[in-house]
Amino acid sequence: MNGSCSSSGTGNLHALLLDMNFDGHADLWVTGYTDSQGRIRCSDVWLWDAPAQQYRFNQPLSAIPNLNINMAEQRIEGGIPNCGCAAQCFYEDSYAWQASKLITIARRAQDCERYREYRLNDKNDLIIVKDEIIDSGNPGQQAIENSKIFDWQRHAQTMRKPWE
């Protein structure tokens, strides 16, 4: 069965056996790149279904761009490191397995003008915990902050090119 990566990805596809849902069984991960510059890694993931004794395609994991599995910490992450704005735009998501379902537990996102952080609340909804204007020429404009997590304004300044 072809997935989007294995059937349309470009060059150097790799197949890995890795426990991607942390259930003790090796799952199949086909990974490659969807663009010729090697910026976005695609994934096709088949999770081992032990009772059925077969692999089943997993759409949620396969849809995560630049999928990264940290086995030691049982963390799943993905996102786009540069989506425009002179390398100022990105998003990063963190995921967890909950009752055999993959859920997003956190997100960091930045566009040309704002930085936002999202976390799960007690109802398992992603809510904004930080919303900050990062690229304003108006010194009177203030960030909207619901919590102090990290000084992303300073971090965003260090990411800028010297001529900006």
Side-chain angles (χ1 to χ4, degrees), residues 65 78-80 90-95 104-110 115-120 126-130 149 152:
I80 303 290
F90 68 87
Y91 76 88
E92 299 169 348
D93 291 330
S94 297
Y95 303 88
T104 307
I105 59 170
R107 173 174 262 224
R108 293 184 334 115
Q110 181 171 301
Y115 171 82
R116 292 182 176 103
E117 288 185 15
Y118 303 80
R119 297 281 184 262
L120 280 183
L126 274 181
I127 60 167
I128 294 177
V129 295
K130 187 168 192 163
I149 295 174
W152 283 101

Side-chain angles (χ1 to χ4, degrees), residues 1-29:
M1 176 176 154
N2 285 333
S4 60
C5 187
S6 58
S7 60
S8 67
T10 58
N12 296 332
L13 289 176
H14 299 280
L16 306 166
L17 291 174
L18 182 72
D19 184 5
M20 299 182 77
N21 57 353
F22 315 120
D23 66 353
H25 299 283
D27 304 307
L28 178 60
W29 182 11

Side-chain angles (χ1 to χ4, degrees), residues 1-162:
M1 176 176 154
N2 285 333
S4 60
C5 187
S6 58
S7 60
S8 67
T10 58
N12 296 332
L13 289 176
H14 299 280
L16 306 166
L17 291 174
L18 182 72
D19 184 5
M20 299 182 77
N21 57 353
F22 315 120
D23 66 353
H25 299 283
D27 304 307
L28 178 60
W29 182 11
V30 175
T31 183
Y33 289 92
T34 59
D35 66 346
S36 61
Q37 296 174 341
R39 295 178 300 167
I40 301 173
R41 189 176 65 250
C42 61
S43 297
D44 287 333
V45 177
W46 288 267
L47 299 178
W48 180 251
D49 181 345
Q53 292 291 298
Q54 66 181 6
Y55 286 101
R56 296 197 190 273
F57 185 74
N58 184 273
Q59 182 59 42
L61 275 175
S62 299
I64 299 171
N66 296 313
L67 178 63
N68 184 38
I69 305 290
N70 183 323
M71 293 298 298
E73 297 177 24
Q74 292 194 347
R75 286 191 354 212
I76 302 169
E77 297 172 331
I80 303 290
N82 178 0
C83 52
C85 303
Q88 294 293 318
C89 177
F90 68 87
Y91 76 88
E92 299 169 348
D93 291 330
S94 297
Y95 303 88
W97 290 102
Q98 189 176 74
S100 299
K101 182 179 177 187
L102 189 67
I103 63 166
T104 307
I105 59 170
R107 173 174 262 224
R108 293 184 334 115
Q110 181 171 301
D111 59 25
C112 300
E113 298 174 358
R114 298 187 87 85
Y115 171 82
R116 292 182 176 103
E117 288 185 15
Y118 303 80
R119 297 281 184 262
L120 280 183
N121 66 8
D122 56 348
K123 297 176 185 171
N124 278 346
D125 297 320
L126 274 181
I127 60 167
I128 294 177
V129 295
K130 187 168 192 163
D131 185 355
E132 190 169 276
I133 298 166
I134 61 165
D135 215 6
S136 174
N138 180 356
Q141 203 168 19
Q142 299 217 350
I144 304 160
E145 293 189 49
N146 296 324
S147 68
K148 293 267 187 192
I149 295 174
F150 192 77
D151 184 0
W152 283 101
Q153 225 167 11
R154 184 179 58 78
H155 179 71
Q157 289 294 328
T158 62
M159 290 173 50
R160 287 198 169 83
K161 310 274 189 285

